[in-house]
Amino acid sequence: MLVYFIRRLGQSALVLVVMALLVFVGIYAIGNPVDVLISPEADLAEQQATVERLGLDKPLWEQLWLFLVNALGGDLGRSFVHGEPALQLILDRLPATMELALVALVFAVTVGVFLGLWAGLRPDSLLGRSIMTGSILGFSLPNFWLGLMLILVFAVYLQWLPAGGRGDTVDLLGIRTSLLTLDGWSHLLLPAITLALYKTSLVIRLARAGTREVALQDYVKFARAKGLSAARVTYVHVLKNIMIPVVTVIGLELGSMIAFAVVTETVFAWPGIGKLLIDSIVNLDRPVVVAYLMMTVFIFILINLAVDLLYSLLDPRVRLSEAKA
């Protein structure tokens, strides 16, 4: 197990280094932030001073080398716009994105498993067919359009919920969170539902397919033959087994929720890292964009590593197949 862990850790480190090279070159080789950051009325001396202050006067390879050296110490550069460490800006906004992603994930799993289980147990019923039709709509509707429609209905027409922002927050172990305030939840509901729609549809289809497969297994038939109640068969024998692929996929989808919450955060003016990314792209704030991409790559790698290690603990055949490969 230790050898497998070291091997996977080395592979993750290699992926992180390669992505750092690609991200840095892809961001720093395109555009000129000086044109955005400096007033058009500035003279040549002021422009040159700004270029030197930002380190843009050095060749690209030298900028890359300095970036890699500083990144080893946790320094991903300073924001051109805010003048603060880019990583600190990301970490300050990360809790807002994390709570949005986690609430959306819980919603997707809870609603998706329940509806998928129902559709799998009653595939020919009207409700079962309607659930599957609705899941197709969930895959098809764009996030920005759904968010705008939710704002139009619940914020403009009905005036039940606010149209944007994060609401009131409280300090919990040094982290600002809106999960402990009623106003925070009222601001969180619409963006969380918007972000969760696609994942809910995915969970519905996974749960339905798993239910249809598990319902035909011998141990389920035997449980019914013993006279166990339908509820016990469903929630003990069926639900427990369909959750294995659901948890696996959703564990990986959490990373994509965090990384791709950009549209949802922009529509609802949610002060997370996605909104920060859009603002940084507009202002050509390269260090912040690089820090965002590196953070999301790190989250993806960390989640994949955790899933691989969990699988190796649950199924030793995974370690054996890796060793033979």
Side-chain angles (χ1 to χ4, degrees), residues 301-319:
I301 291 175
L302 190 63
I303 293 176
N304 277 276
L305 179 61
V307 171
D308 288 343
L309 293 177
L310 182 60
Y311 256 89
S312 67
L313 289 173
L314 298 176
D315 190 353
R317 292 174 298 178
V318 175
R319 300 197 296 272

Side-chain angles (χ1 to χ4, degrees), residues 6 8 27 29 72 90 98 106 115 146 162 176 185 190 193 215-216 218 222 241 251 257 306 316 320-321:
I6 294 174
R8 294 295 295 122
I27 297 298
L72 292 176
I90 298 294
M98 287 295 296
V106 171
L115 295 180
L146 176 65
R176 304 299 301 180
W185 274 101
L190 293 184
I193 292 174
L216 300 177
D218 292 337
F222 181 70
N241 287 278
M257 276 188 167
L320 293 176
S321 62

Side-chain angles (χ1 to χ4, degrees), residues 46-121:
E46 292 176 336
Q47 295 181 11
Q48 185 62 30
T50 303
V51 169
E52 293 177 357
R53 178 175 58 84
L54 299 178
L56 300 177
D57 57 325
K58 299 179 178 64
L60 184 60
W61 67 267
E62 187 174 349
Q63 295 182 47
L64 174 60
W65 172 252
L66 292 174
F67 169 76
L68 293 176
V69 172
N70 293 332
L72 292 176
D75 181 9
L76 298 179
R78 299 184 70 85
S79 168
F80 293 164
V81 176
H82 303 279
E84 301 178 19
L87 184 58
Q88 187 61 47
L89 287 173
I90 298 294
L91 294 178
D92 289 342
R93 304 242 187 159
L94 187 59
T97 298
M98 287 295 296
E99 68 182 25
L100 175 61
L102 289 175
V103 171
L105 184 67
V106 171
F107 178 87
V109 172
T110 304
V111 176
V113 169
F114 175 77
L115 295 180
L117 188 64
W118 182 283
L121 293 174

Side-chain angles (χ1 to χ4, degrees), residues 156-176:
V156 178
Y157 289 156
L158 300 178
Q159 297 184 356
W160 289 353
L161 296 170
R166 193 181 179 190
D168 296 335
T169 61
V170 296
D171 187 81
L172 178 64
L173 301 177
I175 300 175
R176 304 299 301 180

